[in-house]
Amino acid sequence: MPAALLLLDFQAGVVETFGSPEVIASTRTALDAARQHDIPVIYVRLGFRHGAPEVSQQNKSFSSLAGAGGPNAMGSMGTDDPSTQVVEALAPVAGDVVVLKRRVSAFTGSDLEVVLRALGVDHLVLTGIATSGVVLSTLCEAADRDFRLTVLADACTDGDDEVHRVLTEKVFPRQADVTMVGAWIAALG
């Protein structure tokens, strides 16, 4: 089954707020293994156009961010802003795909599914920040789209350790295989 490794929201502003050196190191280990085994690597990051026309006032999360920015709302979340770029420790290389999304899920407002179908991918290996945000939303949507799923628990993190634990130990296993980076690499052979 063709798989792809997804790095979800490993962008500077998110990593600065919720990241940890341990999660970055685990994700880097998974990234290196994927490249070594010729597994496609797909980065997904959040960004908005100037003025954030994608943000509805009905969207509680994003509209509160937009409201804080005044007339040039979401300036710090613009597609070219340094805060929305992938962190240097996990930087894309030639051949990696970078997908821009407009909502929490990696699928919403992006061309992720087009890329996955073109690559013949039917198995997604998820890493990301935050477990209760992009990882959860992407997992649910991917399961509904009939992708096989693996979550690398030690390459995900959340602002709330208990929420991370409950999701990775109780919720995600209903729709995905949940494992650690080392075990996933060992299974690659």
Side-chain angles (χ1 to χ4, degrees):
M1 289 186 193
L5 177 68
L6 272 62
L7 280 76
L8 305 169
D9 288 2
F10 281 101
Q11 55 198 66
V14 175
V15 170
E16 183 178 303
T17 304
F18 299 106
S20 73
E22 297 81 14
V23 169
I24 297 300
S26 293
T27 305
R28 181 73 221 192
T29 301
L31 178 59
D32 292 342
R35 289 178 177 150
Q36 182 180 6
H37 288 88
D38 296 320
I39 295 170
V41 175
I42 301 172
Y43 293 82
V44 179
R45 62 185 188 91
L46 176 68
F48 300 101
R49 293 174 185 88
H50 180 74
E54 307 91 341
V55 177
S56 166
Q57 290 303 308
Q58 296 176 32
N59 184 305
K60 187 174 181 177
S61 297
F62 293 136
S63 67
S64 65
L65 290 172
N72 293 321
M74 305 300 277
S76 65
M77 291 296 292
T79 57
D80 296 326
D81 191 85
S83 69
T84 66
Q85 305 309 304
V86 175
V87 294
E88 190 173 325
L90 303 172
V93 299
D96 293 341
V97 175
V98 179
V99 170
L100 186 65
K101 66 182 177 117
R102 309 294 185 182
R103 290 292 184 269
V104 178
S105 169
F107 288 96
T108 305
S110 79
D111 60 355
L112 177 60
E113 188 163 18
V114 172
V115 170
L116 295 171
R117 299 297 180 202
L119 293 172
V121 168
D122 62 5
H123 179 189
L124 306 181
V125 181
L126 305 180
T127 67
I129 303 173
T131 313
S132 63
V134 68
V135 180
L136 173 62
S137 295
T138 301
L139 180 139
C140 291
E141 197 162 345
D144 281 348
R145 294 171 189 244
D146 298 324
F147 286 96
R148 182 174 161 223
L149 295 163
T150 299
V151 176
L152 302 181
D154 56 338
C156 298
T157 191
D158 197 272
D160 184 324
D161 291 339
E162 181 62 8
V163 169
H164 173 80
R165 185 193 69 76
V166 169
L167 287 169
T168 58
E169 293 178 10
K170 297 181 179 284
V171 177
F172 291 174
R174 295 177 186 162
Q175 296 178 301
D177 295 322
V178 179
T179 190
M180 303 297 263
V181 170
W184 176 68
I185 291 171
L188 293 176

